[in-house]
Amino acid sequence: MEAHNYTSLKEQVWNTLLCSGCSLCATVCPMKTIYFSDEMPVSYNLCKNEKDNVPCGACYSSCPRIDTYKDKYGLGPVLNAYTARSTIPIEKQQSGGAVTAILYNALERKLIDRVVTVGQDHTTMQTYSIALSTPQEMITHAGSKYIWYTPSLLALRDLIEAGITRKIAIIGTPCVMQALRKMMESDNAVLNRFKDHVALLIGVFCTEIFSYDRAMQLFKDASVHPADVKRIDIKKDMLLELYNGDTVTIPLPRDLMRRGCAHCLDFTAVDSDISAGSIGSYEGFTTLITRNRTGEYYLNSAIENGYLETSTLETLDKVETFAQRKYKRNKK
Ligand SMILES: Cc1cc2nc3c(=O)[nH]c(=O)nc-3n(C[C@H](O)[C@H](O)[C@H](O)COP(=O)(O)OP(=O)(O)OC[C@H]3O[C@@H](n4cnc5c(N)ncnc54)[C@H](O)[C@@H]3O)c2cc1C
């Protein structure tokens, strides 16, 4: 059984600001002694391993910033690459709505029974971890809850504790995918109660994440109320589309990035079953990379049931360029 507990994690990852904020440590802690404050993990010091030597180490065994993250970069394993779009009308889709279509189909066909993803408050734009259970909820929650940090896995903990679900799909950024894959491959027995329930991992391409408070300050400086923002897109600048039809461009300061993101080399979410992004496809389409047979199975089911249109992507050159750019920037 793993000898390390949260104190090793605190020394090696939290105090060094290496933490990606994937939130799996807080999710898997049996004592719920890890929580997030100011976007960083903190412990209530109730760790049973620390206090009573109860075998655990779940947080340490699943942390992606212990060793493994250095080997995660580039395109990763590619079974097939597609450009895709949903055939279902989705008002808030970010790219082609392909992620929503795949999971809409999977929920409808009962291939899965929950999707752990990120929800967003409409007034404050604050984001939170949420579990969805119906195809209609997938449509309601479409679109990237962009840019700021969310401990996105906490809803997984609640599902496992409630014992109400067996097959869970999880959407997440590359660090979240790395954490979940590490958990699935770990031989730490404390993690078994999570492993058995995870059916599908959908990773989104990701360059970096920002801090919510800093982003809100930028909104304030530009006299934008978060409740007026309909859609955010990140290109070179932050592009805000407002409900009144106006668009606002906010230049992105370099130091807006969350500190832990500076160590991440993975743009394409190499540890997912399916990766999804806008880069590499025309406007209105999603680039999809299936990494294994699990990913292909869920994608093909959505195609067969008429929810997803795909064509083969001839080249991943553009995706590779972005992946290399992130690698070079953060390897320094
Ligand atoms: C933080 C972030 C950064 C990204 N950076 C890039 C980038 O640099 N380059 C690029 O090409 N693509 C990036 N993407 C991916 C891109 O924005 C789209 O998510 C992707 O193209 C899929 O589009 P879609 O229309 O198929 O997704 P949709 O059908 O709109 O579905 C998106 C799904 O993702 C879920 N979701 C939204 N935000 C989050 C989140 N933060 N964590 C977990 N789940 C979430 C939604 O609830 C929804 O179910 C990023 C996405 C996110 C969330």
Side-chain angles (χ1 to χ4, degrees), residues 6 12 37 51 58 98 184 260 289:
Y6 86 93
Q12 294 175 41
S37 173
K51 288 197 175 315
M184 307 279 276
I289 300 174

Side-chain angles (χ1 to χ4, degrees), residues 94-95 97-100 117 141 143-146 205 207 277-279 286:
Q94 191 67 31
S95 307
V99 171
T100 301
T117 182
H141 288 274
S144 296
K145 294 355 158 292
Y146 248 135
F205 297 174
T207 310
S278 59
I279 297 296
T286 309

Side-chain angles (χ1 to χ4, degrees), residues 12-70:
Q12 294 175 41
V13 179
W14 304 352
N15 290 353
T16 55
L17 300 181
L18 196 60
C19 174
S20 74
C22 72
S23 71
L24 193 58
C25 56
T27 303
V28 296
C29 174
M31 291 302 292
K32 290 192 188 169
T33 181
I34 300 174
Y35 64 102
F36 276 77
S37 173
D38 281 339
E39 307 187 355
M40 286 296 287
V42 189
S43 174
Y44 288 116
N45 299 328
L46 295 172
C47 174
K48 289 296 265 183
N49 177 264
E50 177 92 339
K51 288 197 175 315
D52 305 323
N53 214 17
V54 174
C56 185
C59 57
Y60 192 88
S61 302
S62 54
C63 177
R65 290 297 158 89
I66 301 293
D67 303 328
T68 45
Y69 73 102
K70 292 175 191 153

